[in-house]
Amino acid sequence: MLDLSTVHIGIIGLGYVGLPLAVEFGKHYPTLGFDISKPRIQALENGHDASLECSSEELKQATKLQYTTKPQNLAICNVYIITVPTPIDQHKRPDLTPLIKASETVAKVINKNDIVIYESTVYPGATEEVCIPVIEQISKLKFNQDFFAGYSPERINPGDPKNRLTTIVKVTSGSTPDITDFVDELYRSIITVGTHKASSIRVAEAAKVIENTQRDVNIALINELAILFHQLGIDTEEILQAAGSKWNFLPFRPGLVGGHCIGVDPYYLTHKAQEIGHHPEMILAGRRTNDQMGQYIVNRLLKAMIQHRITLCQANILILGLTFKENCPDLRNTRVVDIIEELHDYPVTVDIYDPWASAVEAKQEYNVELLPDIPKNHYDAILLAVGHRQFKEMGIEQIRSFGKEKAVVFDVKYIFPADKVDARL
């Protein structure tokens, strides 16, 4: 049985989840961070994190952390933590390919008595039904006899300087009671606010996937209300502020629901539900509502332009923001692309400006060209799609200066008061 004095940790996947974890463990234990991207590893070795989750100073503080792109180097580790993404495919079904490949990587180097801990968001049962058999088959080791497993779902909030890895309660679990205790002790050694020990891996998996499903359903309700209130001719934000004066009213706001969690995780739960014969009506209804918001926003924008007597043919439209959330470079599953794709069906020219997003990544992931600078007096409509602080600092007058005299400003994110813009969600 391992103890904290002998652990050598291997982190598989150094993205938004894996890197902060590797840095924090690297302050206390010998830690090896593995990623298949050579440019990513080279940048980290040079003290730069493109995701902006860890500063150069924080990287320096992890004095026991090393990096590698060679999977065989992980053989020196005895605790493996897998933090790879779990996306959905084009049919909105779970894509466990990264998780399976990561399990294969570990299986080739794992030794007797080692522990593999998963942090990737999955449906209840995925760790023991999908991942563990991969390790058993390749390593020829027996689960819970020769090697063990844990599950501690990630709770990283990209772009949030306040709620960081060490200040968010961590759910922990293990494949045996002793392993559960060890996994909990390991995370408690770095999580300052403490942990919550779950009774089983399946409970921990379910806890994670419903966190984001709950948010998705709540946002879907507010999105539906925003559509209703617009038809009734009353301002949604004003209504929400009034309702929010009650202490137990939940402060959700309408908008696009993207990112790697809220827009993806519900499909993992619905997949498992349908697998056992249960049709999750409310969860799927929420997903349908949120997935249609891009189309709804475009319809509202074009109607506003027509009402302002702006000819749609050859109109120039500026979209401010591409990332899935404000003040963050994360482009994963951004639903701003739904707006862009919907506008492509019309005879308009669309430009996108985002001071946070990587132009290279935007091109690679979505074939989207980002403006380096915004021209003045050029646009017939301006859509504020993401609430970056730079847009707030610009102020409505500067933003209007990008448009022509009759240009429509549509504020999706309630950045400016209702009387300063032409339309809000």
Side-chain angles (χ1 to χ4, degrees), residues 15 24 47 86 94 110 125 162-163 202 270 273 287 315 374 382 398 402 418:
E24 206 57 43
T86 44
I110 196 170
K162 180 180 178 182
N163 297 301
R202 286 165 61 89
T270 57
R287 275 285 77 228
I374 309 174
I382 300 168
Q398 183 177 349
F402 303 137

Side-chain angles (χ1 to χ4, degrees), residues 26-302:
K27 296 176 184 177
H28 306 276
Y29 309 102
T31 303
L32 183 62
F34 168 80
D35 200 281
I36 60 174
S37 171
K38 289 183 179 180
R40 174 68 166 162
I41 292 299
Q42 289 172 352
L44 292 174
E45 288 177 333
N46 291 327
H48 176 66
D49 170 27
S51 72
L52 305 181
E53 288 301 302
C54 296
S55 66
S56 297
E57 184 58 34
E58 287 172 321
L59 294 176
K60 288 179 183 178
Q61 291 172 359
T63 56
K64 298 184 178 182
L65 171 61
Q66 294 181 312
Y67 305 100
T68 186
T69 58
K70 298 178 180 179
Q72 62 269 26
N73 291 347
L74 290 165
I76 62 173
C77 302
N78 49 25
V79 175
Y80 300 93
I81 303 179
I82 293 177
T83 62
V84 296
T86 44
I88 53 176
D89 63 19
Q90 60 180 346
H91 304 294
K92 301 188 186 304
R93 297 175 303 197
D95 180 5
L96 298 178
T97 303
L99 206 55
I100 292 171
K101 288 187 176 297
S103 298
E104 291 172 348
T105 296
V106 169
K108 294 173 183 176
V109 294
I110 196 170
N111 292 302
K112 291 193 69 171
N113 298 319
D114 287 355
I115 301 171
V116 54
I117 302 169
Y118 290 85
E119 289 216 2
S120 306
T121 302
V122 291
Y123 53 79
T127 299
E128 292 159 298
E129 295 167 9
V130 177
C131 302
I132 296 305
V134 170
I135 297 177
E136 282 190 310
Q137 182 180 8
I138 295 175
S139 70
K140 308 304 180 185
L141 298 176
K142 186 70 175 175
F143 179 49
N144 277 342
Q145 178 178 314
D146 299 321
F147 75 97
F148 305 89
Y151 184 80
S152 181
E154 60 91 2
R155 280 179 165 172
I156 295 294
N157 190 25
D160 187 344
K162 180 180 178 182
N163 297 301
R164 308 275 295 183
L165 170 67
T166 59
T167 60
I168 302 173
V169 173
K170 201 85 163 65
V171 174
T172 62
S173 65
S175 56
T176 71
D178 285 344
I179 296 302
T180 298
D181 290 341
F182 171 80
V183 172
D184 190 69
E185 183 183 11
L186 178 65
Y187 280 101
R188 272 194 290 113
S189 69
I190 64 166
I191 306 297
T192 58
V193 293
T195 59
H196 178 96
K197 192 189 299 185
S199 63
S200 69
I201 288 175
R202 286 165 61 89
V203 167
E205 290 169 326
K208 168 57 182 176
V209 79
I210 71 166
E211 289 176 19
N212 293 317
T213 301
Q214 182 188 63
R215 286 181 56 80
D216 193 45
V217 171
N218 275 292
I219 297 171
L221 170 62
I222 301 300
N223 275 335
E224 187 166 290
L225 290 175
I227 295 171
L228 169 62
F229 294 146
H230 173 67
Q231 293 173 344
L232 293 174
I234 45 182
D235 186 72
T236 300
E237 174 68 359
E238 188 177 352
I239 297 166
L240 293 176
Q241 287 179 351
S245 63
K246 189 181 181 187
W247 78 93
N248 61 351
F249 185 82
L250 301 177
F252 289 98
R253 289 295 183 271
L256 299 167
V257 183
H260 184 62
C261 293
I262 300 178
V264 173
D265 295 354
Y267 288 119
Y268 275 75
L269 191 56
T270 57
H271 168 80
K272 189 63 178 180
Q274 291 169 336
E275 192 177 74
I276 62 172
H278 175 73
H279 183 69
E281 294 184 9
M282 182 176 290
I283 300 171
L284 286 174
R287 275 285 77 228
R288 283 193 297 271
T289 297
N290 288 338
D291 278 345
Q292 292 169 0
M293 287 307 291
Q295 182 183 39
Y296 172 74
I297 289 168
V298 169
N299 289 339
R300 286 278 311 277
L301 174 66
L302 297 181

